[in-house]
Amino acid sequence: MKNTQRPIGIYDSGIGGLTVAHAITKLLPGEDILYFGDTAHLPYGDKSEAAIQAYSIKIADVLLKKGCKAIVIACNSASSAAYELLKEYVRNDAHILNVIDPMIAHVCEHFAGEEVGLIGTRRTVASGVYHQRLAETCPSIKLRSLATPLLAPMIEEGFFNNQISHEIIAQYLSESGLEGIKALILACTHYPLIKKEIDGFYNGHMAILDSSEIVAMALKDHLEKNGLAHSGTRSSKRFFVSDYTPSFEASTRLFFGKMVHLEQHRLWN
């Protein structure tokens, strides 16, 4: 198989990474996609760094064996915990992309000198990765971070666009630490599923930054620069899970508009 025809691998702990996968398929319709949802270990946001690294290595092995030319870590927690390790582990077998660096580049380009808010899992916020990267690349930006640990499990359970999610979102976004911001980074790939609710809280007067489209553009640029882009008009999508869940199957249908077949692939026997 030519390098250009090899598939793109995407992984996350659950349904959040489907926001990235959907954006990639819209922007790159000719690319074959392999998605791995590590549903046996979701959510990653409350797992240790060592655990996330172990899961990531196992998933990378699965995607490499299936010939992926690029692997997108479609999870902020895994991007902060496992990106450097995966780059070293995979080496020249595939290109590794995370969801953090494209967002940092976007924020630096559009919000230099401003106060910017961020909401994410405990793991992502505690890692300080966004603060560190912004300090290195755009120190004029003041970042205000807030851990919002209830949001990812709430979304995984299907509680969004209802009264429960409205109240939880409003409780978090009313925190004083987010006052005065000019933009809000959604530092979890689950959060685009509640982007409209977040936008509603701010009455449409806040720049809401989700990584799905930004990451898709970064992947497109990366493939083109490295001669890996596939210009075909037909493509396939395969979905793997480490543990079958009806909610994941339903969410996949919601994103891709048709019945999908989930292939179970346990990371440990």
Side-chain angles (χ1 to χ4, degrees):
M1 182 186 295
K2 295 180 180 178
N3 280 343
T4 56
Q5 294 175 320
R6 292 165 59 194
I8 295 167
I10 305 167
Y11 82 91
D12 181 31
S13 62
I15 69 171
L18 291 172
T19 62
V20 177
H22 186 248
I24 289 172
T25 57
K26 285 180 65 178
L27 187 64
L28 301 168
E31 300 284 356
D32 291 338
I33 300 294
L34 300 183
Y35 185 89
F36 196 107
D38 189 12
T39 46
H41 302 110
L42 64 85
Y44 279 179
D46 60 5
K47 300 295 189 298
S48 69
E49 181 175 287
I52 295 172
Q53 289 176 345
Y55 305 150
S56 296
I57 292 293
K58 287 282 190 178
I59 294 168
D61 279 336
V62 174
L63 297 175
L64 288 174
K65 287 176 181 176
K66 297 187 181 300
C68 290
K69 62 187 176 186
I71 296 175
V72 180
I73 309 173
C75 169
N76 279 266
S77 297
S79 290
S80 63
Y83 173 61
E84 295 297 335
L85 176 66
L86 275 193
K87 278 204 306 181
E88 180 66 23
Y89 180 76
V90 170
R91 292 186 179 268
N92 297 323
D93 292 333
H95 295 254
I96 305 294
L97 293 90
N98 65 57
V99 293
I100 296 173
D101 290 334
M103 178 62 78
I104 293 295
H106 179 85
V107 172
C108 287
E109 181 180 355
H110 296 283
F111 297 97
E114 302 285 4
E115 293 191 8
V116 174
L118 177 149
I119 56 174
T121 65
R122 285 197 183 100
R123 158 62 52 190
T124 297
V125 172
S127 74
V129 62
Y130 279 88
H131 285 274
Q132 178 185 339
R133 302 279 174 84
L134 282 173
E136 293 168 351
T137 58
C138 196
S140 67
I141 293 176
K142 183 176 182 180
L143 186 65
R144 299 175 175 271
S145 298
L146 177 69
T148 51
L150 291 179
L151 294 185
M154 175 189 81
I155 293 165
E156 285 283 351
E157 292 298 325
F159 286 97
F160 49 93
N161 296 320
N162 59 32
Q163 189 61 36
I164 293 173
S165 60
H166 290 343
E167 292 179 4
I168 294 174
I169 290 166
Q171 183 73 28
Y172 278 134
L173 298 183
S174 297
E175 292 282 342
S176 59
L178 295 178
E179 290 179 0
I181 60 174
K182 299 298 183 182
L184 180 67
I185 298 171
L186 306 186
C188 176
T189 53
H190 285 69
Y191 296 0
L193 289 164
I194 55 172
K195 184 177 179 179
K196 287 184 179 179
E197 292 181 85
I198 293 172
D199 189 52
F201 174 85
Y202 290 110
N203 295 314
H205 297 144
M206 179 67 65
I208 311 297
L209 309 178
D210 81 73
S211 58
S212 57
E213 293 181 358
I214 294 170
V215 170
M217 282 298 301
L219 174 63
K220 182 175 184 290
D221 290 344
H222 185 84
L223 294 178
E224 289 175 349
K225 288 177 182 177
N226 288 278
L228 293 172
H230 186 225
S231 57
T233 56
R234 299 180 65 184
S235 63
S236 65
K237 302 173 187 65
R238 295 177 68 185
F239 299 90
F240 299 88
V241 290
S242 52
D243 186 32
Y244 172 79
T245 64
S247 63
F248 185 89
E249 185 176 59
S251 297
T252 309
R253 287 202 308 271
L254 176 68
F255 275 102
F256 293 95
K258 60 182 179 180
M259 192 71 177
V260 298
H261 172 61
L262 297 184
E263 302 177 49
Q264 187 162 324
H265 194 298
R266 296 190 182 279
L267 297 181
W268 281 271
N269 295 324

